[in-house]
Amino acid sequence: MSNKSLIVENVSKQYRLGQVGTGTMTHDFKRWLYKIRGKEDPYSKIGETNDRSKKGVSDYVWALKDINFDVKQGEVLGIIGKNGAGKSTLLKILSRVTSPTTGHIKINGRMASLLEVGTGFHPELTGRENVFLNGAIMGMSKSEIKSKFDEIVDFSGVERYIDTPVKRYSSGMHVRLGFAVAAHLEPEILVIDEVLAVGDAEFQKKCLGKMKAVSGEGRTVLFVSHNMGAIKALCDRGLLLENGTLTFDGNIDECVNRYLSINQSGENTGRVELPKKGFGSGEARINIVEMIDYEGQVSETVLYKEPIKVRIHIDSEISVPTASIDIKISDNNGTLLFHALNQYQNIPFSLNNGKNVVEIEIENNLLPGRFMITPGIHNASTSLTLDMHENAIAFEVIKAAKIASESYPWEWILAPSKINIIKLK
Amino acid sequence: MNFTTEIKPKNKWYDIDFKAIWQYRDLMFLFVRRDFVSVYKQTVLGPIWFFIQPLLTTATFTLIFSVVAKISTNEIPAPLFYIIGLTFWGYFSTCLTSTSSTFVTNAGVFGKVYFPRLIMPISIVISSLIKLSIQFLLLLMVWLYYYLTTDILHPNITILLMPFYILLFAGLGLGFGIILSSLTTKYRDFTFLIGFGVQLLMYATPIIYPLSLLDDQSYIIKSVVKYNPISGIIEAIRYGLTGSGVFDLGLLAYSFVFVIILLFLGIITFTKVEKSFIDTV
């Protein structure tokens, strides 16, 4: 199965920033003047890479620059990158919503793109009418929809409302019906953008299962998501986009790790200053979070089996005699692993009016990998959260010992702190 | 290796995918159905509104232009004269105004999924055709009333060209509409222009007056109305139904050629714009 179903060659896309106004017309006119004289577009050479956080000089920006890749038939490709890296632009070009500024794309087979579920739903029409309309927009013929209609309704789970106008639907039902139609498309190539971010847990599971089934049938899938768990579960190969350029193409696990490291290194490891208040009343504020290594130095890494030390600087406007402080540790995919709270172990904690610095030491049972910390402070007597920062700092547990020559026996299990085994018989 | 689709920055001007439009014909008819059905959802009178609107306009026109202003209607009973003009003018103007906003109103759908964009304006022209046929029924009733009660109407064989006339109107509405929609995409100034432009154009068309009324007017006024491609068709329809009006094969041929060129230019600009309009809409 080495048939290629998609070849992307030198694809770039340029956008003009700012508003359409008289200036645009001058540019259009200049372009046209150059064109009739047989010269190259004067604006196609300028433009900068697309870094949204920095102010640029030019009005033109390259949302995508020289993208090259190809996809074999039956391959499930994950596309990841930060917001604004160009993922959606790439999908838009692939699904022919917009055209590239330069480059070519060759597609083999029928392609369906799901940039949104329920595209073209008309609020006044009933669910039944919308299934037909939406299916046809996605490229199905009427007879195809008719033959799958019962299956679609069954999958969506909104049978009771099928003859009610869609405007009366809850947003969840809307999405369910939309995805149900999309799931019954039978294209050779399926392009999906973040549609799983909606719907309840049960439905998300159903969607993931359906997508797995689709890829199992030998169809090509291109999947964009910020959910690393879903990406890893579905895809074999990953593309990493950074500021409009393709920086990695290969094994999905490596791709995800790269993404997480560009996402975090230098940004929120070691020492993180939090200039704004997070979730909470803000009467006391977490200003700085630091990871401390065994030598007492600020560090991005924690050695395997070595305690995790977090130092938190708090500025408080009030004094809280019975306060509580907690640390949540989650993995790469954002799944919460455990929650450490001083009250669990009856450790008293209070906040003084003014500056406070606390150091928290947590027994380290984590296997090597990357983890994130969510620190929080609360008023224990009122149960009010004062300040909390979701995934404020990241750290890495590394496979190394204090002294280079020494090494730990690796236990490939995530060991709980304490186990009790009671023999009943 | 064979590839079914190739995406390029720009297509050649003649690269229009008519096959894809045919493949999406089911979608076209679903859009037609949607446009037609959704208009009268949650109304009590439903499709009857399609009757009430031209009826009231005809009554108003009869009152103002015939009774008050005393503009000649060439022996044709005034209500019949106006209803003929208004029914077909109405078809042309709805086609034009609704297709001219194709890109702007459908940006949401067009931004998410690909299908041949021409499906949208074509479906509008077809769904307006349904409205036209309902209103044509009303016109026939008025016509039948005068045919049975008076002997001033002399229908003739040229009325068999009616489908051809309607096609010309559809072509004019679609052609102007898609050209304007391509322009409106980037520069919204055109939306304002379309609003009053259509209204002004009506006065340059023999809707509220017969073409013969201009016989003693200046050459400029006469030629503006005469070279308006709609004039010849409206007059020919009137002639076919009542025996009074101008049936000029030259004018009809002119309109026909005009429609062909208009559609040709329209489709080319439309397909050029549709490729990346979403970036500038």
Side-chain angles (χ1 to χ4, degrees):
Chain A
M1 288 248 280
S2 62
N3 277 350
K4 297 225 166 82
S5 47
L6 187 72
I7 298 178
V8 176
E9 279 169 354
N10 297 320
V11 166
S12 301
K13 176 78 185 172
Q14 189 186 47
Y15 278 117
R16 187 183 192 278
L17 302 178
Q19 292 186 335
V20 174
T22 32
T24 334
M25 217 156 161
T26 343
H27 282 199
D28 279 355
F29 182 64
K30 215 167 161 184
R31 258 202 191 111
W32 177 76
L33 272 185
Y34 272 70
K35 202 177 161 189
I36 53 168
R37 282 185 288 162
K39 288 192 187 167
E40 216 183 311
D41 185 343
Y43 298 103
S44 76
K45 275 171 276 179
I46 56 172
E48 295 151 341
T49 54
N50 183 21
D51 190 340
R52 103 192 101 75
S53 56
K54 290 195 188 85
K55 197 171 153 54
V57 199
S58 165
D59 261 354
Y60 291 88
V61 96
W62 290 101
L64 285 178
K65 188 93 182 131
D66 294 325
I67 304 291
N68 283 290
F69 65 91
D70 50 43
V71 188
K72 285 194 204 86
Q73 197 195 321
E75 206 166 18
V76 185
L77 189 72
I79 302 171
I80 51 184
K82 279 199 260 186
N83 285 335
K87 305 179 298 281
S88 299
T89 308
L90 181 60
L91 289 200
K92 271 188 186 167
I93 293 174
L94 284 173
S95 35
R96 296 168 76 189
V97 163
T98 185
S99 61
T101 311
T102 62
H104 283 253
I105 296 170
K106 288 173 187 159
I107 299 166
N108 197 5
R110 194 166 89 154
M111 181 156 88
S113 55
L114 251 177
L115 304 190
E116 181 190 65
V117 284
T119 309
F121 270 15
H122 193 289
E124 296 287 349
L125 299 183
T126 65
R128 183 186 303 274
E129 289 165 323
N130 270 311
V131 165
F132 279 93
L133 187 62
N134 185 240
I137 287 178
M138 301 288 203
M140 281 198 263
S141 72
K142 210 170 170 179
S143 55
E144 235 179 303
I145 307 167
K146 218 173 234 165
S147 68
K148 285 183 192 150
F149 186 79
D150 291 335
E151 251 179 274
I152 292 173
V153 175
D154 196 45
F155 185 85
S156 70
V158 295
E159 192 167 1
R160 209 154 166 209
Y161 292 83
I162 202 70
D163 288 313
T164 306
V166 161
K167 62 178 175 182
R168 309 260 177 256
Y169 280 29
S170 75
S171 52
M173 278 154 56
H174 205 272
V175 168
R176 277 165 167 263
L177 193 63
F179 190 85
V181 178
H184 290 82
L185 283 172
E186 279 179 354
E188 279 99 26
I189 308 166
L190 185 64
V191 177
I192 307 171
D193 187 11
E194 292 270 45
V195 282
L196 296 175
V198 278
D200 52 22
E202 175 228 330
F203 190 67
Q204 285 195 19
K205 217 170 142 189
K206 211 166 164 182
C207 297
L208 271 175
K210 184 77 195 177
M211 278 163 62
K212 246 190 178 147
V214 164
S215 58
E217 288 160 21
R219 286 194 223 134
T220 315
V221 182
L222 272 76
F223 181 43
V224 165
S225 177
H226 284 287
N227 181 345
M228 294 302 139
I231 286 253
K232 274 191 181 177
L234 278 171
C235 309
D236 345 296
R237 190 178 137 206
L239 295 184
L240 177 60
L241 288 175
E242 279 177 78
N243 297 331
T245 47
L246 185 65
T247 53
F248 183 83
D249 178 356
N251 177 277
I252 189 69
D253 291 321
E254 209 176 314
C255 189
V256 168
N257 287 339
R258 273 241 199 167
Y259 165 69
L260 292 166
S261 69
I262 54 150
N263 220 5
Q264 281 147 10
S265 69
E267 272 187 15
N268 60 347
T269 49
R271 176 192 160 96
V272 174
E273 286 183 30
L274 304 162
K276 289 196 198 115
K277 119 182 157 61
F279 173 81
S281 69
E283 286 165 302
R285 296 240 302 94
I286 300 176
N287 285 333
I288 302 167
V289 187
E290 293 167 310
M291 297 298 301
I292 307 296
D293 68 5
Y294 65 99
E295 288 177 307
Q297 302 293 318
V298 172
S299 168
E300 295 176 12
T301 52
V302 174
L303 301 187
Y304 177 73
K305 287 282 182 194
E306 214 48 51
I308 302 158
K309 264 191 228 166
V310 190
R311 195 183 288 156
I312 299 174
H313 299 245
I314 302 158
D315 245 346
S316 183
E317 294 166 7
I318 49 168
S319 73
V320 188
T322 49
S324 61
I325 188 157
D326 70 341
I327 296 283
K328 288 181 198 132
I329 295 191
S330 27
D331 69 5
N332 256 345
N333 304 327
T335 312
L336 184 64
L337 298 178
F338 62 78
H339 179 202
L341 177 74
N342 63 308
Q343 270 126 354
Y344 291 157
Q345 286 162 40
N346 294 321
I347 305 164
F349 177 66
S350 64
L351 281 173
N352 305 327
N353 192 334
K355 284 202 185 311
N356 300 265
V357 180
V358 202
E359 208 168 271
I360 302 148
E361 205 178 291
I362 304 162
E363 187 186 356
N364 181 3
N365 287 324
L366 300 171
L367 289 174
R370 189 170 266 276
F371 303 91
M372 313 242 248
I373 285 182
T374 301
I377 45 175
H378 319 268
N379 185 335
S381 52
T382 59
S383 309
L384 190 75
T385 297
L386 301 168
D387 199 7
M388 188 167 89
H389 289 267
E390 192 90 24
N391 300 334
I393 191 164
F395 67 95
E396 201 159 346
V397 173
I398 55 166
K399 208 172 161 184
K402 276 189 228 172
I403 306 152
S405 59
E406 211 175 288
S407 69
Y408 281 101
W410 303 112
E411 303 159 29
W412 291 111
I413 46 159
L414 198 64
S417 310
K418 219 172 155 191
I419 310 177
N420 249 339
I421 298 174
I422 306 161
K423 209 173 173 191
L424 295 170
K425 217 173 176 182
Chain B
M1 196 156 33
N2 286 324
F3 287 96
T4 44
T5 321
E6 194 177 352
I7 302 173
K8 287 175 287 189
K10 279 193 180 77
N11 283 350
K12 293 273 183 299
W13 62 268
Y14 49 81
D15 227 356
I16 300 157
D17 204 351
F18 288 109
K19 218 176 98 192
I21 296 176
W22 177 245
Q23 277 167 354
Y24 274 88
R25 61 191 182 279
D26 281 344
L27 177 63
M28 189 150 75
F29 290 112
L30 281 164
F31 276 139
V32 170
R33 205 184 116 77
R34 177 196 72 174
D35 289 344
F36 188 71
V37 170
S38 62
V39 168
Y40 62 83
K41 282 246 165 146
Q42 226 173 343
T43 62
V44 180
L45 295 178
I48 297 173
W49 280 111
F50 289 135
F51 281 109
I52 296 173
Q53 190 203 342
L55 219 58
L56 287 179
T57 330
T58 305
T60 317
F61 272 46
T62 310
L63 195 70
I64 295 174
F65 296 115
S66 178
V67 178
V68 178
K70 300 209 165 40
I71 298 174
S72 149
T73 55
N74 249 1
E75 325 277 280
I76 307 170
L80 181 63
F81 182 88
Y82 293 122
I83 205 167
I84 294 173
L86 284 171
T87 305
F88 290 95
W89 176 259
Y91 177 59
F92 166 75
S93 70
T94 347
C95 282
L96 192 151
T97 40
S98 355
T99 50
S100 71
S101 57
T102 307
F103 285 123
V104 180
T105 45
N106 294 300
V109 180
F110 285 180
K112 294 296 177 193
V113 65
Y114 175 81
F115 51 85
R117 307 310 194 201
L118 260 179
I119 295 275
M120 216 41 132
I122 294 175
S123 78
I124 291 171
V125 170
I126 296 176
S127 63
S128 311
L129 199 63
I130 301 175
K131 200 175 123 191
L132 173 72
S133 42
I134 293 174
Q135 293 180 345
F136 190 70
L137 236 101
L138 183 72
L139 189 160
L140 276 185
M141 287 194 273
V142 176
W143 179 85
L144 205 67
Y145 168 79
Y146 285 107
Y147 185 69
L148 295 176
T149 55
T150 64
D151 51 1
I152 26 178
L153 302 183
H154 308 287
N156 49 60
I157 193 80
T158 62
I159 201 61
L160 292 179
L161 282 171
M162 188 56 106
F164 172 68
Y165 299 148
I166 293 174
L167 265 179
L168 286 181
F169 275 119
L172 282 169
L174 182 69
F176 278 123
I178 56 181
I179 289 179
L180 288 168
S181 74
S182 313
L183 297 171
T184 327
T185 307
K186 199 160 184 185
Y187 301 104
R188 295 290 154 81
D189 310 63
F190 287 97
T191 22
F192 298 101
L193 196 73
I194 294 163
F196 70 85
V198 169
Q199 221 167 11
L200 291 184
L201 190 62
M202 190 180 94
Y203 294 104
T205 314
I207 303 293
I208 52 172
Y209 54 85
L211 195 58
S212 55
L213 194 74
L214 299 176
D215 285 346
D216 45 356
Q217 292 294 326
S218 75
Y219 177 73
I220 301 173
I221 296 184
K222 247 191 327 204
S223 36
V224 164
V225 177
K226 211 171 163 188
Y227 291 111
N228 172 351
I230 312 163
S231 306
I233 321 171
I234 285 276
E235 280 290 322
I237 292 175
R238 266 199 205 119
Y239 176 77
L241 281 169
T242 66
S244 151
V246 180
F247 182 79
D248 184 340
L249 270 178
L251 275 184
L252 285 176
Y254 162 72
S255 301
F256 179 71
V257 173
F258 191 95
V259 167
I260 298 294
I261 295 173
L262 187 71
L263 277 179
F264 180 73
L265 290 177
I267 292 173
I268 287 172
T269 38
F270 191 88
T271 36
K272 195 172 149 64
V273 168
E274 69 167 12
K275 289 211 79 183
S276 54
F277 90 96
I278 203 78
D279 305 335
T280 50
V281 74

